């Protein structure tokens, strides 16, 4: 059960939710929108470019961080993310978005290493399946890194 005061929602690579772009997360947006409604607006963090045409129903204002080209794959490469989570006393972090094979996987492992209870929501994540089976395998790696993987109903 989501705790509004101590749980955070991290939406990774938000810019892929724009219909005019390669909207690979179209089917996932409905799930993420249901999740957004369960979190305190101050505990929703978006990584990526915000666009008014996004299919996500984000609160206004929403805290967003742009990905730097210097960043590796983890969202924690941006020190402002950890600072924001600590400032808001986040204990458990739910991670959704794109790309489960890279950004989400490394971010989840880093979140565990920063002592956050970490939950990756599989049916609210997308990724590349090259080679075949790589997408599903990424969730096994996320579990091995100490995070919980579940589906949101």
């Amino acid at each position: 059960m989501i705790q509004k005061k101590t749980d955070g929602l991290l939406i990774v690579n938000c810019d892929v939710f724009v219909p005019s772009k390669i909207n690979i997360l179209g089917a996932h947006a409905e799930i993420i929108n249901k999740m957004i409604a369960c979190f305190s607006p101050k505990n929703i963090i978006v990584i990526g470019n915000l666009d008014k045409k996004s299919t996500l129903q984000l609160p206004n204002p929403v805290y967003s961080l742009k990905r730097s080209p210097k960043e590796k794959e983890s969202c924690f490469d941006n020190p402002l993310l950890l600072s924001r989570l600590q400032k808001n006393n986040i204990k458990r972090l739910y991670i959704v978005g794109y790309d489960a094979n890279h950004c989400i996987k490394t971010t989840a492992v880093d979140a565990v290493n920063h002592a956050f209870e970490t939950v990756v929501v599989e049916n609210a994540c997308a990724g590349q399946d090259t080679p075949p089976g790589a997408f599903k395998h990424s969730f096994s790696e996320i579990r091995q890194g100490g995070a919980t993987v579940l589906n949101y109903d």
Side-chain angles (χ1 to χ4, degrees), residues 15-120:
D15 44 329
V16 298
F17 289 96
V18 179
S20 62
K21 297 188 178 182
I22 303 170
N23 189 14
I24 54 174
L25 291 177
H28 302 83
E30 183 179 334
I31 295 166
I32 295 171
N33 283 333
K34 287 179 185 177
M35 292 183 70
I36 287 170
C38 298
F39 288 85
S40 169
K42 73 180 183 78
N43 293 342
I44 298 171
I45 300 170
V46 170
I47 305 293
N49 297 319
L50 290 175
D51 190 305
K52 291 179 182 177
K53 296 178 184 174
S54 173
T55 55
L56 295 180
Q57 297 166 356
L58 295 167
N60 188 10
V62 66
Y63 187 79
S64 67
L65 296 170
K66 293 188 178 188
R67 291 190 60 89
S68 162
K70 295 179 184 175
E71 288 179 33
K72 296 179 218 163
E73 295 179 348
S74 173
C75 296
F76 283 94
D77 291 339
N78 185 331
L80 295 175
L81 175 58
L82 181 59
S83 174
R84 178 67 178 206
L85 294 171
Q86 290 171 335
K87 176 185 173 193
N88 288 354
N89 296 310
I90 299 301
K91 305 295 181 221
R92 181 171 40 200
L93 185 62
Y94 287 80
I95 304 174
V96 300
Y98 179 80
D99 171 9
N101 310 57
H102 302 288
C103 301
I104 290 175
K105 179 172 61 177
T106 56
T107 299
V109 171
D110 281 354
V112 169
N113 291 337
H114 284 293
F116 293 101
E117 182 182 343
T118 306
V119 179
V120 175

